[in-house]
Amino acid sequence: MTIASSSSTGVFRSTETRSKPDPVAGRSWLTTQAATKESTVAIEVRNLSKRYGTFQAIKDVSFEVIAGQLVALLGPSGSGKSTILRIIAGLEVADTGGVLLTGEDATRLSVQERGVGFVFQHYALFRHMTVRNNIAFGLKVRKLPKSEIRARVDELLELVQLTGYAGRYPSQLSGGQRQRVALARALAPRPKVLLLDEPFGALDAKVRDELRVWLRKLHDEVHVTSLFVTHDQREAFEVADQFIVLNAGKVQQVGPPQSLYLRPSSPFVAQFLGQVNILPLETIQLGSRSEAPFPSSLPGLALQSDAQIYVRPHDLEVQRERNGRPCWGARVERITPLGGVVRMELSIKGDHRIQLELISDPSLDLNFAPGDTVFVTPRHMNVFDAKSHTFHPVVLGHEIEARA
């Protein structure tokens, strides 16, 4: 399901029609929207902008998150991810724009009134409190009955697999266990939405891998709408239902992870979501007739001379001999074993460098060596036309599928 659609400015906006202005004086348009907004939208941000001095952290950011989804707010450092998260939580105030949570205008509500759970990168646990008391803290502030607090904490201890650790202090826990306590504390008051700011950033690689799997399973059990910040593409792919990709304080693209990976809307998204080889369009004409060359043009596409080919390393096939299919003649420059895969660095006609990845399988003939001549065929590639600023997916041997 698509959360939003794009405008010509690159900001992603809802496709829904806004309700008519409310006749009651003093009510904002956000309040009017909230009265009729479908309950399936759990988080809605509208035209958020925030400046710190002369630095524009975010500019005119709009998107929606569907109830029950786990969505990744993804982008490089300084792209505005944490600023957006803190504005949604009420920890920062936007210069312009508004926030709706489960259909309610939350723009002017306090942190406590928003009903948001927040998980920080560095746990933020109370060092002088036990695991049980850390989880119970928010419930005690709300002055719930002791029996209800105990039952809820017991439920969460089991959920985060820390039943035997209730009496321990944070200093007696591992980093992964502390983060699970922080998550249980955030879930304790049954928040409308859960916000996570790089929750695994302070952990080592192995623990991060384990917690990714655990977080996804946990989300599938509790189904709380979650928005988490990360700059780790692998983490986002493993966990998220949807991506919201940011750069320089603006939304670049929104949609399912695999869809964005295969159909990026811009060169930035294509390069940010994994490794990609970029070649000038003239590369398709490099092969001689004896090498089964690429066509000199792409049918149906009126491309400019500055168009570029984008092809992922795993979308390239390499052979020792020509096989009758369109191919590039290439020279092996470097081979790097990476556990389950082998990375090959090749040069085409000496000037154009590319990388490809092959499965490391002893039963396959991968006995390539630097200096070898090989032949490379892309299974799938995207051709970027700078004039129209669009990508055109191309599958060799099939009709050209041009993006509208």
Side-chain angles (χ1 to χ4, degrees):
M1 181 180 294
T2 301
I3 0 186
S5 64
S6 66
S7 70
S8 59
T9 61
V11 175
F12 286 69
R13 306 182 185 279
S14 168
T15 56
E16 292 183 309
T17 303
R18 290 184 182 176
S19 56
K20 295 181 179 179
D22 192 271
V24 181
R27 292 184 66 177
S28 69
W29 71 266
L30 275 173
T31 305
T32 304
Q33 269 200 321
T36 57
K37 192 70 178 178
E38 294 183 17
S39 60
T40 54
V41 177
I43 303 173
E44 182 179 4
V45 301
R46 283 284 163 233
N47 308 109
L48 289 183
S49 293
K50 177 69 175 180
R51 180 184 291 273
Y52 297 99
T54 59
F55 175 65
Q56 186 77 51
I58 56 173
K59 184 176 182 180
D60 198 29
V61 169
S62 298
F63 62 81
E64 296 175 353
V65 176
I66 303 302
Q69 287 190 333
L70 199 166
V71 176
L73 205 54
L74 186 63
S77 298
S79 59
K81 307 181 299 294
S82 294
T83 297
I84 294 171
L85 209 68
R86 292 176 67 83
I87 289 173
I88 294 172
L91 299 172
E92 296 277 358
V93 178
D95 297 334
T96 59
V99 176
L100 279 83
L101 297 175
T102 60
E104 179 184 3
D105 182 1
T107 308
R108 294 177 176 81
L109 295 181
S110 67
V111 175
Q112 294 77 14
E113 293 172 313
R114 296 193 183 205
V116 168
F118 203 104
V119 178
F120 298 90
Q121 178 177 342
H122 295 287
Y123 325 127
L125 298 179
F126 299 110
R127 291 179 293 177
H128 64 287
M129 292 185 183
T130 63
V131 167
R132 175 176 290 279
N133 288 335
N134 262 285
I135 297 173
F137 180 78
L139 303 176
K140 291 179 179 179
V141 169
R142 289 166 175 77
K143 301 186 184 301
L144 297 180
K146 291 184 178 180
S147 59
E148 186 176 335
I149 292 175
R150 173 169 287 276
R152 178 61 174 161
V153 172
D154 286 344
E155 177 188 358
L156 288 166
L157 284 169
E158 183 175 355
L159 185 67
V160 299
Q161 302 170 359
L162 290 174
T163 302
Y165 297 81
R168 296 193 184 186
Y169 290 88
S171 61
Q172 298 172 309
L173 303 176
S174 68
Q177 290 169 335
R178 292 178 198 176
Q179 196 58 288
R180 280 189 275 163
V181 174
L183 188 55
R185 184 178 63 183
L187 290 171
R190 304 181 193 278
K192 297 177 182 177
V193 299
L194 181 65
L195 306 177
L196 305 99
D197 193 0
E198 302 213 38
F200 310 137
L203 304 173
D204 62 55
K206 187 175 186 302
V207 176
R208 283 203 306 270
D209 288 345
E210 293 171 353
L211 283 184
R212 286 170 189 158
V213 176
W214 175 81
L215 178 62
R216 183 67 241 187
K217 289 181 179 178
L218 178 68
H219 180 267
D220 291 341
E221 290 183 36
V222 300
H223 299 293
V224 61
T225 305
S226 303
L227 182 62
F228 80 101
V229 160
T230 183
H231 62 268
D232 186 327
Q233 297 93 327
R234 179 183 171 188
E235 180 173 284
F237 272 107
E238 288 187 13
V239 174
D241 299 310
Q242 297 276 325
F243 280 2
I244 301 171
V245 180
L246 295 164
N247 187 40
K250 296 181 180 180
V251 175
Q252 303 296 308
Q253 193 173 0
V254 180
Q258 199 65 12
S259 176
L260 269 62
Y261 184 78
L262 296 174
R263 297 292 187 85
S265 64
S266 68
F268 170 80
V269 175
Q271 294 176 67
F272 186 72
L273 296 181
Q275 293 290 326
V276 64
N277 298 296
I278 305 174
L279 297 165
L281 183 63
E282 66 186 34
T283 307
I284 67 171
Q285 303 176 39
L286 289 179
S288 68
R289 290 188 179 276
S290 61
E291 289 176 357
F294 286 92
S296 59
S297 64
L298 299 175
L301 301 180
L303 299 171
Q304 303 299 310
S305 60
D306 58 352
Q308 293 177 311
I309 296 170
Y310 283 67
V311 59
R312 303 284 184 186
H314 60 79
D315 280 329
L316 292 167
E317 296 178 357
V318 61
Q319 304 288 336
R320 291 187 177 278
E321 306 292 340
R322 304 181 188 95
N323 59 8
R325 299 175 62 194
C327 63
W328 294 309
R331 172 188 167 91
V332 178
E333 299 293 342
R334 185 178 180 184
I335 298 175
T336 307
L338 299 172
V341 298
V342 174
R343 177 183 297 157
M344 295 181 64
E345 297 180 29
L346 311 176
S347 61
I348 300 173
K349 300 298 183 181
D351 296 329
H352 307 296
R353 294 296 184 102
I354 62 172
Q355 290 186 356
L356 62 83
E357 292 179 355
L358 304 173
I359 296 174
S360 181
D361 186 340
S363 66
L364 300 176
D365 179 17
L366 298 180
N367 192 27
F368 297 108
D372 285 355
T373 297
V374 295
F375 299 90
V376 183
T377 299
R379 289 185 293 265
H380 174 272
M381 58 187 179
N382 283 300
V383 178
F384 180 71
D385 181 18
K387 183 177 180 179
S388 62
H389 204 74
T390 56
F391 276 100
H392 303 279
V394 177
V395 179
L396 290 183
H398 296 75
E399 291 184 356
I400 303 297
E401 181 187 357
R403 172 172 297 182

